[in-house]
Amino acid sequence: MDSQNIIQPKRSTVLHIRSKDATQLTSGYNTHFDVNLTNAIIIDENEEMHISIMSAEIPYSFYNVSTELENNKLVYDDTQTLTFTSQDYDIDELVEFFEANTAFKAIFTTTYNTQTNKISFKNTTSASHKINLSLSNLNKEIGFSELDTDRTITAGSTLTSDFVCNLATVHSIFIKSTLSTANVLSTRAGNSTTLQKISVDTNSNGIVYMNQADFRQVTVSQVPVIDHITFSVTDQNNRLLQLNNVNYEISILFEIYPKYNSVNNQSRNIISNRRTINIPTQPNTITRPLIVDEIDALDNTHPIENKSEAQHKSQRIVLDNLLDIVADQ
């Protein structure tokens, strides 16, 4: 019977983290912190650590437009900056903020088209004015490229966003650590410190859970001792999330496995897939019937001393059966 070895962890440790118990490292945030383990996790030379996030409950208390996300400024006429208050905005509230700013309103009228999901700026003055998209960081939110150039709007003309407005600014949450990893990559930095990516599937003021739709990442580490870990919780652009002093919980599973060894692994596979061979010890255990012709009567005329022709043929059939069985393995 064919079988496949399933390697079980030699031992495991579960770490439950409450952000309120951790040592915070970045002032004003609670998403960058240290955890010191009273009982260190020891990994022997012939072992490796597999790390995975078991669960996470992170409140959606961050804003979609904020200083922390670096997406709250629009520069115009080279030197004028319109800075949005850090808070949650829907598209109507975003337009209202443009319209409520006296200096900006004196030059531009801002409108929103619900069917195209685009914003327009109309120059209501008698002179040309400029929107400095190259100096702004609110570009994607109002439908322009992050790398866009400055746009000059002549008197009476209108500038409409090239793309749709995007106020879903945090797509996913990344839990990162200082644990050395060997199997995680990212397009941003090559080797990645990410332990888990969590989908944001709730609205503001809800709780972002690590749910069944999230792929459970297993991070492999071969550090000899784990007694101190630094964690950070970021958005997809590697910016620390500002949770506004709201706490959260994360649970992490550490499993210690034998380090992969190609020679040992091959041996295990061979053993696990090896079939048992029943070697017959008596001629009557052979399943193939022994047929002896009538002319092969027992007599002493066979050329091999002390064996008759029938005895010789019977023993030859037994040997042929054994060779067939061995050849089939």
Side-chain angles (χ1 to χ4, degrees):
M1 178 181 67
D2 291 337
S3 63
Q4 193 70 30
N5 275 343
I6 299 176
I7 308 302
Q8 298 291 338
K10 299 171 69 175
R11 55 192 183 278
S12 62
T13 300
V14 176
L15 173 62
H16 297 293
I17 300 173
R18 297 196 310 167
S19 63
K20 66 184 298 182
D21 298 332
T23 303
Q24 299 300 326
L25 300 178
T26 301
S27 179
Y29 293 78
N30 61 342
T31 51
H32 184 208
F33 57 90
D34 274 347
V35 171
N36 294 304
L37 303 182
T38 303
N39 299 316
I41 302 174
I42 308 298
I43 302 94
D44 294 336
E45 184 177 357
N46 61 342
E47 298 174 335
E48 65 184 23
M49 177 73 74
H50 291 198
I51 308 163
S52 57
I53 304 292
M54 297 175 60
S55 63
E57 301 81 27
I58 303 174
Y60 192 146
S61 57
F62 47 88
Y63 299 136
N64 63 346
V65 174
S66 68
T67 302
E68 290 76 22
L69 294 180
E70 301 177 19
N71 65 347
N72 67 333
K73 292 183 179 181
L74 183 78
V75 179
Y76 61 99
D77 287 343
D78 297 330
T79 59
Q80 303 301 307
T81 301
L82 177 58
T83 302
F84 283 71
T85 304
S86 294
Q87 62 183 40
D88 278 325
Y89 292 86
D90 62 24
I91 191 61
D92 293 326
E93 292 165 339
L94 199 72
V95 171
E96 288 174 5
F97 197 93
F98 279 113
E99 289 287 283
N101 185 274
T102 304
F104 193 82
K105 176 64 175 177
I107 302 172
F108 302 105
T109 296
T110 307
T111 57
Y112 171 70
N113 187 321
T114 57
Q115 293 179 305
T116 62
N117 189 21
K118 294 183 177 182
I119 278 182
S120 295
F121 303 104
K122 181 177 181 180
N123 180 356
T124 59
T125 71
S126 58
S128 295
H129 289 274
K130 188 184 298 183
I131 300 288
N132 299 99
L133 293 171
S134 64
L135 303 176
S136 305
N137 61 19
L138 189 67
N139 296 12
K140 291 187 69 175
E141 287 67 22
I142 59 174
F144 292 95
S145 168
E146 291 177 303
L147 304 177
D148 216 328
T149 57
D150 299 341
R151 303 290 185 91
T152 298
I153 310 174
T154 59
S157 297
T158 300
L159 172 66
T160 299
S161 51
D162 298 327
F163 312 107
V164 298
C165 298
N166 177 20
L167 291 176
T169 55
V170 178
H171 308 157
S172 51
I173 295 174
F174 288 76
I175 300 175
K176 303 182 179 183
S177 78
T178 53
L179 294 169
S180 176
T181 63
N183 66 320
V184 183
L185 303 175
S186 75
T187 55
R188 174 175 290 271
N191 286 339
S192 175
T193 60
T194 300
L195 290 179
Q196 182 66 47
K197 171 180 173 289
I198 302 175
S199 303
V200 176
D201 56 2
T202 187
N203 293 322
S204 179
N205 299 320
I207 295 181
V208 180
Y209 292 98
M210 184 177 172
N211 57 44
Q212 295 303 318
D214 290 312
F215 171 77
R216 260 52 175 184
Q217 174 183 316
V218 177
T219 301
V220 179
S221 179
Q222 295 177 352
V223 296
V225 179
I226 297 177
D227 57 0
H228 173 91
I229 314 170
T230 299
F231 292 94
S232 59
V233 182
T234 75
D235 70 351
Q236 70 276 3
N237 294 313
N238 200 34
R239 299 186 180 100
L240 285 176
L241 285 180
Q242 173 54 272
L243 298 184
N244 294 298
N245 204 38
V246 178
N247 293 309
Y248 54 95
E249 294 76 41
I250 301 171
S251 296
I252 304 177
L253 174 63
F254 298 89
E255 295 178 295
I256 295 179
Y257 284 86
K259 187 179 293 185
Y260 175 80
N261 183 302
S262 59
V263 175
N264 292 340
N265 189 66
Q266 184 180 19
S267 299
R268 287 199 296 269
N269 287 338
I270 291 173
I271 293 172
S272 65
N273 288 300
R274 181 177 296 169
R275 291 186 292 173
T276 302
I277 303 174
N278 294 318
I279 306 290
T281 57
Q282 299 295 329
N284 59 7
T285 63
I286 300 298
T287 58
R288 182 186 298 178
L290 298 181
I291 301 175
V292 181
D293 294 337
E294 291 182 359
I295 62 172
D296 292 328
L298 292 175
D299 57 28
N300 295 320
T301 61
H302 192 268
I304 299 179
E305 186 177 359
N306 298 323
K307 289 187 180 180
S308 69
E309 180 69 17
Q311 289 174 324
H312 173 66
K313 182 171 288 189
S314 296
Q315 292 177 358
R316 187 178 64 190
I317 293 174
V318 171
L319 180 60
D320 288 343
N321 272 275
L322 291 176
L323 292 175
D324 288 343
I325 292 172
V326 173
D328 289 337
Q329 307 309 311

